[in-house]
């Protein structure tokens, strides 16, 4: 992914959320084994609601984070944005995230994470206006899960944590950078 050696080996992460930072670092270590990378987190705004409620809004949030991060820190090889979101499916709510990677050359990769259903106890709190992380904290009597294992970690008893859910979407978002002979 770092074929252009004139670029600094810098990956800007469009968040200060420790769970998302960990996911980006893990994904890029898999994508660039042995490469000495510098990761620069920054608080890039999403420009969408605090709790996106559609896949489209969630993707737009991740794209906005990438664009805003590039404006904040323009000297890098890659910018990465992650946005978690929800979407109604009948009477239920699903949870997922979008990962977006932008290269200095303007190539963009996007991928959605795995999706899971929220229990009614959490979904009802979200429908009342609470963010997923806050609702999960209330139901599980936790504090600030969105910056660690996330709702998915609480629901799976940490068999799958938020960073582990995000990493595959970033690996999939890297497909255009790993297959430069194709058009995306």
């Amino acid at each position: 992914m770092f074929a252009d050696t004139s670029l600094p080996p810098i990956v800007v992460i469009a968040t200060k959320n420790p769970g998302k930072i960990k996911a980006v670092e893990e994904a890029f270590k898999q994508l660039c084994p042995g490469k000495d990378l510098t990761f620069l987190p920054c608080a890039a705004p999403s420009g969408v609601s605090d709790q996106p409620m559609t896949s489209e809004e969630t993707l737009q949030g991740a794209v906005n984070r990438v664009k805003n991060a590039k404006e904040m820190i323009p000297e890098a090889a890659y910018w990465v944005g992650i946005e978690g979101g929800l979407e109604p499916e009948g009477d239920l709510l699903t949870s997922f995230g979008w990962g977006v990677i932008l290269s200095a050359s303007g190539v963009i990769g996007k991928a959605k994470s795995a999706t899971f259903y929220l229990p009614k106890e959490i979904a009802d709190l979200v429908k009342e206006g609470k963010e997923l992380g806050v609702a999960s904290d209330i139901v599980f009597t936790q504090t600030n899960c969105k910056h660690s294992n996330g709702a998915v970690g609480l629901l799976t008893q940490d068999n799958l944590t938020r960073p582990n859910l995000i990493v595959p979407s970033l690996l999939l978002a890297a497909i255009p950078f790993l297959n430069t002979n194709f058009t995306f």
Side-chain angles (χ1 to χ4, degrees):
M1 283 189 51
F2 283 86
D4 184 350
T5 56
S6 67
L7 295 172
I10 296 172
V11 177
V12 176
I13 307 170
T15 187
K16 293 276 189 168
N17 180 310
K20 292 179 180 181
I21 292 167
K22 180 179 178 183
V24 173
E25 290 174 348
E26 287 181 22
F28 271 81
K29 286 177 184 169
Q30 287 183 47
L31 292 165
C32 309
K35 184 79 173 168
D36 187 23
L37 303 174
T38 300
F39 296 97
L40 299 177
C42 68
S46 70
V48 298
S49 62
D50 289 340
Q51 182 58 76
M53 292 299 291
T54 66
S55 183
E56 294 81 54
E57 182 185 15
T58 307
L59 174 58
Q60 188 60 58
V63 170
N64 291 347
R65 285 188 191 277
V66 164
K67 290 178 180 177
N68 291 327
K70 186 174 182 186
E71 286 181 18
M72 295 167 73
I73 305 174
E75 296 299 319
Y78 294 97
W79 296 264
V80 182
I82 299 162
E83 189 72 18
L86 304 174
E87 190 159 61
E89 189 175 294
D91 292 337
L92 303 173
L93 271 181
T94 62
S95 179
F96 53 86
W98 275 95
V100 175
I101 303 172
L102 174 67
S103 71
S105 65
V107 175
I108 193 164
K110 306 174 216 175
K112 188 176 179 182
S113 74
T115 302
F116 61 97
Y117 291 95
L118 296 175
K120 182 179 182 337
E121 293 78 0
I122 293 174
D124 286 347
L125 291 170
V126 170
K127 290 173 185 174
E128 292 172 8
K130 294 185 176 19
E131 286 184 61
L132 175 58
V134 173
S136 298
D137 285 344
I138 291 168
V139 170
F140 284 94
T141 61
Q142 298 289 312
T143 303
N144 206 15
C145 74
K146 74 178 194 175
H147 285 119
S148 58
N149 58 347
V152 70
L154 294 172
L155 290 166
T156 65
Q157 299 177 1
D158 285 332
N159 284 292
L160 182 64
T161 62
R162 188 176 197 190
N164 299 127
L165 181 69
I166 295 168
V167 169
S169 65
L170 295 175
L171 297 175
L172 293 170
I175 287 173
F177 310 106
L178 301 172
N179 295 279
T180 57
N181 53 320
F182 295 115
T183 305
F184 291 93

